[in-house]
Amino acid sequence: VAPRSRARSRARRTADTRALFESRNLDAWVATASADGVAHLVPLSLAWDGARLILATEPDAVTTRNLAETGRARLGVGTTRDVVMVDARLESTVPAEQAPAAVLDAYLTQAVWDPRDQDIPFVVSILAPERVQAWREADEITGRTLMRDGAWLG
Amino acid sequence: VAPRSRARSRARRTADTRALFESRNLDAWVATASADGVAHLVPLSLAWDGARLILATEPDAVTTRNLAETGRARLGVGTTRDVVMVDARLESTVPAEQAPAAVLDAYLTQAVWDPRDQDIPFVVSILAPERVQAWREADEITGRTLMRDGAWLG
C-alpha cells in the first residue's frame, strides 16, 4: 500500500498563507542584496494590507539601503519546516508619518508597535509580491507555487 | 524601581549559541546573493563541526551558484525572536562523497539525512563564521556580537 500523501492542495496552502499573512506579531526573514552582491538578512515585523507587504526599518539600515539600490527582497515567513517564500518588488519607501493611512493601520494592528514613535523615525516600505511559494516537507515541493507574476493561482 | 533587565550576558549567549549549533535537526535561513545583486534565501539543514558550518545543496541550486560567485553567506538560526545571525565566508565546496569524514559525520549526525544518497548527489559547502550575533528582544541589541573576525569574544 502506498503511503498516503499528506501534501496540502494549492487551495489549502493559499488559505493557510493568507491566514498567516493576516496574523498578529507576524515576522519575516528579509533577505536583500546590495547592487554589488552582498547579501543581507534580518528578522523584521511584517504586515499585509491584503495585497502588499509592509516593512518598517531605520532610514540608514542595510535593508533600507539595499531596497533602494536593487528594489527587490526575498522573504521567508513561518518556520523552516512550514515555510512561505515571497519574492517581492519594492513599490515605495516613505517616512512612516507619511505612509498611507491604510498601510499604517495594517502595520499598527499586526506589528503592534508604532514606527513613527521611535527615537529616529522609521521608514515604511511597501512591497508587491510577485511570487509566493509554500511547502512543509519534501512531499510538498511539487505544487509549491501559489502566486506567479503577482497573481494568485487560485 | 527600574525593571530588571532580562538581557543575557555575552557568556550566556555564547553558551546558548554553541548549544544551538550542536543540536540535531538544526535548520538555517541561508541568504546569499549573486554577483549582480539578486538576493536568495532558503531554509536548509545546517551542521557544525565545532568550528565551521556545513551545508548540503544540489549542485545547480541558486545557493550553490551564489556561494561560488561571491564566497559569502549570511545565516539566520533560531527563531525571529531568539535569533543567531552568522556572517560566513566559503572555505570550500566539494561533492558530498568527497567531503572530509569529520565534516560528513557532523552532517549525518545533525541533519539526519545523507547528502550522498540522493538522485542527484549533493555538494557540501564548508563555511567559516566571521561574525556571530545573538539577540532576543530590544534589550539584547547591546552586546549582541559574540564572534568578530572569526574569534569568539569569550
Side-chain angles (χ1 to χ4, degrees):
Chain A
V1 181
R4 186 168 62 91
S5 172
R6 295 169 306 161
R8 293 168 295 166
S9 67
R10 187 163 70 199
R12 181 73 257 156
R13 294 188 218 191
T14 300
D16 289 348
T17 297
R18 285 175 166 279
L20 177 66
F21 283 176
E22 289 164 7
S23 62
R24 293 188 92 167
N25 291 308
L26 180 65
D27 293 331
W29 294 91
V30 180
T32 55
S34 62
D36 61 350
V38 179
H40 191 61
L41 176 66
V42 71
L44 294 173
S45 295
L46 181 68
W48 168 249
D49 74 355
R52 284 97 45 93
L53 296 163
I54 304 154
L55 297 174
T57 51
E58 294 181 65
D60 63 350
V62 176
T63 297
T64 309
R65 191 169 67 229
N66 286 350
L67 284 172
E69 275 187 27
T70 68
R72 300 201 58 78
R74 183 165 158 94
L75 296 85
V77 195
T79 69
T80 53
R81 300 188 185 209
D82 185 5
V83 66
V84 177
M85 299 301 314
V86 183
D87 292 287
R89 181 179 49 75
L90 180 67
E91 274 194 3
S92 61
T93 299
V94 295
E97 64 271 20
Q98 294 170 26
V103 166
L104 201 56
D105 282 352
Y107 197 88
L108 296 176
T109 301
Q110 284 186 267
V112 201
W113 66 276
D114 190 337
R116 297 168 302 185
D117 190 24
Q118 306 297 317
D119 290 342
I120 300 166
F122 277 42
V123 295
V124 164
S125 293
I126 302 172
L127 296 147
E130 297 194 326
R131 186 173 66 167
V132 176
Q133 300 183 310
W135 70 91
R136 286 181 180 156
E137 302 286 341
D139 65 348
E140 287 202 354
I141 294 298
T142 299
R144 67 187 179 281
T145 301
L146 309 180
M147 173 189 283
R148 188 180 292 136
D149 300 330
W152 294 103
L153 300 181
Chain B
V1 180
R4 188 167 61 91
S5 172
R6 294 170 307 160
R8 293 168 295 165
S9 67
R10 187 163 71 199
R12 181 74 257 157
R13 295 189 217 190
T14 300
D16 289 349
T17 297
R18 286 174 166 278
L20 177 66
F21 283 177
E22 288 164 7
S23 62
R24 293 188 93 167
N25 291 308
L26 180 65
D27 292 332
W29 294 91
V30 180
T32 55
S34 62
D36 62 350
V38 179
H40 191 61
L41 176 66
V42 72
L44 294 173
S45 296
L46 180 67
W48 168 249
D49 75 354
R52 285 98 43 94
L53 296 162
I54 304 154
L55 297 174
T57 51
E58 293 180 66
D60 63 349
V62 177
T63 298
T64 309
R65 193 170 66 231
N66 286 349
L67 283 173
E69 276 189 27
T70 67
R72 301 201 56 79
R74 183 164 157 94
L75 296 85
V77 195
T79 69
T80 53
R81 301 187 184 208
D82 185 5
V83 64
V84 176
M85 300 301 313
V86 183
D87 292 287
R89 180 178 49 76
L90 180 67
E91 274 193 4
S92 59
T93 299
V94 295
E97 63 272 18
Q98 295 170 25
V103 166
L104 202 57
D105 282 352
Y107 197 88
L108 296 176
T109 301
Q110 284 187 266
V112 200
W113 64 277
D114 191 336
R116 298 168 301 186
D117 190 25
Q118 306 297 317
D119 291 344
I120 300 166
F122 277 42
V123 295
V124 165
S125 293
I126 301 172
L127 296 145
E130 296 194 328
R131 186 174 66 166
V132 176
Q133 300 183 310
W135 69 91
R136 286 182 179 154
E137 303 286 342
D139 66 349
E140 287 202 354
I141 294 299
T142 299
R144 67 187 179 280
T145 301
L146 309 180
M147 173 189 284
R148 189 179 293 135
D149 299 330
W152 293 103
L153 300 182

